[in-house]
Amino acid sequence: MAREAFEEIAETFEFLDDWEDRYRHVIELGRELPGLDEAVKVPATKVHGCASQVWLLPRISGTGPDARFDFEGESDAMIVQGLIAILHALYSGLSVTQVGAVDAPAELARLGLNDHLSAQRSNGLRAMIERIRLLAAEAASA
């Protein structure tokens, strides 16, 4: 169920042997994301459980279980901005029902992130995944 953009990231990670190179790639992915308008950086879009500031803004097309899921996001930390880009590649364009079926820990394990993120970053990543799943579930039941 993984998306094409995520597969490209996974393939790139396979070619990058050094974790410093992988971190640089994650940061570069984050730089490619557009920023959020300051007006949407409000408590309702903030992800709690992250050491850095993170906002996720859902963009749902359609209604019900077949609605398409997308989101915009931003963080004040470069590596976290890159993690948002990776999550965007993993979830964007799926139906809201499919979002809940993605085994994000397994997909992210393919990148080896679990072994190379600090405990705080890992907790923040889990918080972002939980928020994405919640937003999709809310849209599916609307």
Side-chain angles (χ1 to χ4, degrees), residues 16-106:
L16 298 173
D17 296 329
D18 182 349
W19 261 96
E20 282 190 33
D21 291 337
R22 289 181 179 186
Y23 273 125
R24 275 194 286 277
H25 185 61
V26 170
I27 289 167
E28 192 57 41
L29 290 170
R31 284 189 178 127
E32 294 171 7
L33 279 183
L36 287 176
D37 188 302
E38 290 298 319
V40 298
K41 292 182 185 178
V42 295
T45 60
K46 189 168 183 189
V47 177
H48 300 284
C50 297
S52 53
Q53 302 277 337
V54 176
W55 298 270
L56 296 179
L57 182 66
R59 300 284 186 209
I60 312 292
S61 302
T63 58
D66 294 326
R68 291 283 149 210
F69 184 80
D70 196 2
F71 71 92
E72 295 175 54
E74 187 175 331
S75 174
D76 61 350
M78 291 187 309
I79 194 77
V80 178
Q81 183 75 7
L83 295 175
I84 293 169
I86 290 170
L87 292 177
H88 190 265
L90 185 61
Y91 289 110
S92 181
L94 297 177
S95 74
V96 290
T97 306
Q98 290 171 318
V99 167
V102 171
D103 185 350

Side-chain angles (χ1 to χ4, degrees), residues 7-22 25 110-111:
E7 290 303 324
E8 286 179 25
I9 293 169
E11 287 175 21
T12 301
F13 265 63
E14 285 178 28
F15 289 111
L16 298 173
D17 296 329
D18 182 349
W19 261 96
E20 282 190 33
D21 291 337
R22 289 181 179 186
H25 185 61
R110 294 173 48 205
L111 306 180

Side-chain angles (χ1 to χ4, degrees), residues 43-48 56 69 126-136:
T45 60
K46 189 168 183 189
V47 177
H48 300 284
L56 296 179
F69 184 80
R126 276 193 295 279
M128 288 189 285
I129 292 166
E130 288 173 20
R131 180 64 172 271
I132 287 168
R133 292 172 62 94
L134 177 67
L135 292 168

